[in-house]
């Protein structure tokens, strides 16, 4: 489903010669603009280590592909030296199809370069036990968005609340979805994408992994070298690690199952067979239970928890629950810091609300329980992107374009 005509090509002659020399820089250049690290052509030249002429030819080709926009106006008024052209992602450029499924529903979106959400479909609150039905519905919603916007689609990405094996693409433990263990979600998703007439490759991965990838490129994790993300959304707790700009997924895609760290040996039974894991001691259901609240069916557990923290934190039972979950979360983070030695931690979902509610307590627990925490402290920040798992799902689809724009988007 390609709404727009194919892109034009950059100029001929000496420009083409310079581009031929810098063809291998197209992908790195696009990633620099995509992640906001090259706002001007001068910065792009320095980051790529090429001549100004070659950087100009590379930028012109990316603009010809419809991926970026080169603005000849000075980057900053009053700056010294020759003004540099500004570089921005194209507002009307191609998009990636992004889909997310979680315990309380699913959502589809179109996401452009720069992690910008172009359009979203209304979320559904019912998740069928048959993954094929759910993924068919979410792809249909995305296909409608593509028809409405007329955008060119580079591919599709899916975020699911489960470890996803590599290279098979199986959802190994979709515990909160009632899907069968080992459901071939990548294959099903790809089939539905092709059936809808949507071009480009299709991918699937764990939702917290994708949230971490999105935050590293566009949010609170930008600039971190070793980034640890821990988050609880609708049910359970997940973790992810980004090393040198790439997700660390382990030998088969199953790394960083942090939800199964024991933080309360006498605590609740966990789905994994153990007891007192983060997964059941520090998620929204655990919080509501600790606060003495009975979850209602009207809105998601995450929304109920966040509203309780926002509106009733003065209530003694709510305050006690906040402190109890912070202590459990801090204990888990301290263990992870000692093992992984990250240079930054970001927290999402309910954990972001807990951090906002009492940042000093969480940091004190981590410092007290972690050797490296006591020696200098690791920054603990809140995730900043809305729908970061959706943005991360789109990053999967954008990656082939970032690797080789000309191959991924043939003229």
């Amino acid at each position: 489903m390609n709404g727009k005509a194919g892109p034009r090509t950059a100029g001929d002659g000496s420009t083409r010669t310079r581009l031929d020399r810098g063809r291998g820089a197209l992908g790195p250049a696009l990633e620099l603009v995509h992640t906001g690290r090259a706002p001007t052509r001068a910065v792009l030249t320095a980051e790529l280590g090429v001549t100004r002429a070659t950087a100009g030819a590379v930028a012109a080709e990316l603009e010809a592909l419809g991926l970026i926009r080169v603005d000849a106006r000075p980057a900053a008024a009053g700056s010294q030296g020759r003004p540099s052209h500004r570089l921005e992602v194209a507002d009307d450029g191609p998009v990636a199809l992004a889909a997310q499924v979680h315990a309380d529903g699913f959502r589809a979106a179109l996401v452009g370069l720069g992690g910008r959400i172009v359009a979203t479909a209304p979320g559904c609150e019912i998740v069928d036990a048959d993954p094929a039905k759910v993924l068919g519905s979410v792809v249909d919603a995305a296909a409608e968005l593509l028809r409405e916007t007329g955008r060119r689609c580079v591919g599709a990405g899916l975020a699911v609340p489960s470890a996803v094996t590599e290279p098979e693409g199986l959802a190994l433990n979709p515990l909160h979805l009632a899907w069968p263990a080992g459901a071939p979600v990548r294959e099903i998703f790809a089939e539905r994408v092709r059936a809808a007439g949507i071009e480009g490759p299709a991918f699937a991965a764990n939702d917290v992994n994708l949230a971490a990838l999105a935050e590293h490129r566009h949010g609170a994790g930008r600039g971190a070298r070793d980034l640890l993300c821990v988050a609880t959304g609708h049910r359970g707790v997940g973790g992810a690690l980004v090393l040198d700009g790439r997700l660390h997924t382990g030998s088969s895609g199953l790394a960083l199952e942090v939800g199964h760290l024991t933080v309360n040996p006498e605590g609740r039974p966990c789905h994994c067979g153990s007891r007192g894991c983060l997964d059941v001691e520090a998620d929204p259901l655990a919080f509501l239970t600790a606060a003495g609240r009975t979850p209602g069916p009207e809105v998601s557990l995450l929304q109920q928890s966040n509203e309780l923290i926002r509106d009733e934190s003065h209530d003694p039972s709510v305050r006690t629950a906040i402190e109890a979950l912070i202590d459990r979360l801090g204990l888990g983070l301290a263990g992870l810091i000692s093992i992984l030695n990250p240079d930054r931690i970001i927290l999402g979902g309910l954990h972001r609300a807990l951090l906002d509610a009492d940042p000093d307590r969480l940091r004190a627990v981590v410092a007290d329980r972690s050797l490296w925490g006591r020696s200098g402290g690791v920054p603990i920040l809140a995730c900043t992107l809305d729908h970061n798992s959706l943005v991360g799902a789109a990053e999967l689809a954008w990656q082939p374009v970032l690797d080789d724009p000309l191959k991924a988007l043939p003229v």
Side-chain angles (χ1 to χ4, degrees):
M1 182 174 295
N2 281 344
K4 296 194 173 183
R8 57 190 174 82
T9 57
D12 298 320
S14 59
T15 299
R16 175 58 59 188
T17 300
R18 287 191 291 268
L19 177 61
D20 289 340
R21 295 196 197 108
R23 189 171 299 277
L26 282 174
L30 181 59
E31 183 165 346
L32 287 166
V33 179
H34 172 59
T35 56
R37 290 178 291 154
T40 68
R41 201 169 68 182
V43 175
L44 183 69
T45 302
E47 289 289 333
L48 294 177
V50 298
T51 65
R52 292 180 65 253
T54 297
V58 167
E61 181 69 8
L62 293 175
E63 185 174 37
L65 288 168
L67 296 170
I68 72 169
R69 186 170 69 89
V70 181
D71 189 340
R73 291 176 297 172
S79 59
Q80 294 183 349
R82 188 173 180 177
S84 181
H85 295 181
R86 291 183 292 186
L87 305 177
E88 301 173 347
V89 298
D91 291 335
D92 59 350
V95 294
L97 184 161
Q100 182 182 11
V101 181
H102 51 71
D104 293 311
F106 59 83
R107 181 177 291 275
L110 304 181
V111 183
L113 282 168
R116 298 177 180 177
I117 296 179
V118 173
T120 59
C124 177
E125 298 178 357
I126 299 174
V127 179
D128 195 276
D130 181 358
K133 290 183 179 180
V134 179
L135 298 182
S137 296
V138 75
V139 170
D140 287 345
E144 180 60 28
L145 290 177
L146 284 171
R147 283 190 289 270
E148 291 173 356
T149 61
R151 296 292 189 102
R152 183 179 189 180
C153 184
V154 301
L158 169 67
V160 293
S162 168
V164 177
T165 63
E166 295 291 348
E168 301 90 349
L170 308 179
L172 191 64
N173 57 344
L175 298 174
H176 305 296
L177 294 182
W179 287 0
V185 292
R186 183 178 300 155
E187 179 182 347
I188 296 170
F189 184 60
E191 289 175 351
R192 295 301 184 272
V193 167
R194 287 193 298 269
I198 298 170
E199 296 182 1
F203 306 88
N206 171 262
D207 54 359
V208 179
N209 276 354
L210 297 180
L213 181 62
E215 292 284 347
H216 185 267
R217 291 183 175 180
H218 308 293
R222 185 181 292 174
R225 191 185 128 181
D226 299 333
L227 175 69
L228 173 63
C229 175
V230 176
T232 178
H234 299 264
R235 288 293 303 276
V237 175
L241 185 65
V242 179
L243 300 177
D244 291 326
R246 299 289 178 179
L247 279 171
H248 173 72
T249 57
S251 61
S252 57
L254 307 180
L256 271 291
E257 281 290 317
V258 304
H260 300 292
L261 290 173
T262 299
V263 293
N264 183 10
E266 305 302 320
R268 298 175 178 85
C270 183
H271 317 282
C272 71
S274 186
R275 186 176 283 273
C277 296
L278 268 177
D279 212 54
V280 292
E281 295 287 338
D283 80 336
L285 181 59
F287 175 73
L288 293 170
T289 301
R293 301 305 199 269
T294 300
E298 298 82 10
V299 295
S300 71
L301 298 177
L302 176 60
Q303 184 175 339
Q304 292 177 63
S305 298
N306 285 341
E307 290 175 353
L308 195 60
I309 292 174
R310 185 190 67 217
D311 300 334
E312 300 186 46
S313 60
H314 60 280
D315 184 298
S317 63
V318 175
R319 189 71 223 169
T320 298
I322 290 173
E323 293 174 354
L325 262 73
I326 284 176
D327 291 349
R328 295 169 195 166
L329 174 61
L331 182 59
L333 292 179
L336 291 167
I337 289 170
S338 297
I339 295 169
L340 301 173
N341 189 27
D343 60 7
R344 192 179 309 174
I345 297 172
I346 56 174
L347 302 178
L350 174 62
H351 296 164
R352 175 170 62 177
L354 293 172
L355 175 65
D356 291 341
D358 198 339
D360 292 338
R361 185 182 185 96
L362 179 60
R363 294 183 176 115
V365 172
V366 170
D368 184 58
R369 296 296 189 118
S370 167
L371 174 62
W372 309 130
R374 290 198 300 272
S375 68
V378 180
I380 302 175
L381 306 174
C383 290
T384 57
L385 298 179
D386 293 329
H387 306 299
N388 51 18
S389 291
L390 272 175
V391 174
E395 291 295 317
L396 294 179
W398 275 113
Q399 192 59 54
V401 182
L402 298 175
D403 291 338
D404 191 337
L406 287 177
K407 181 179 179 181
L409 298 174
V411 177

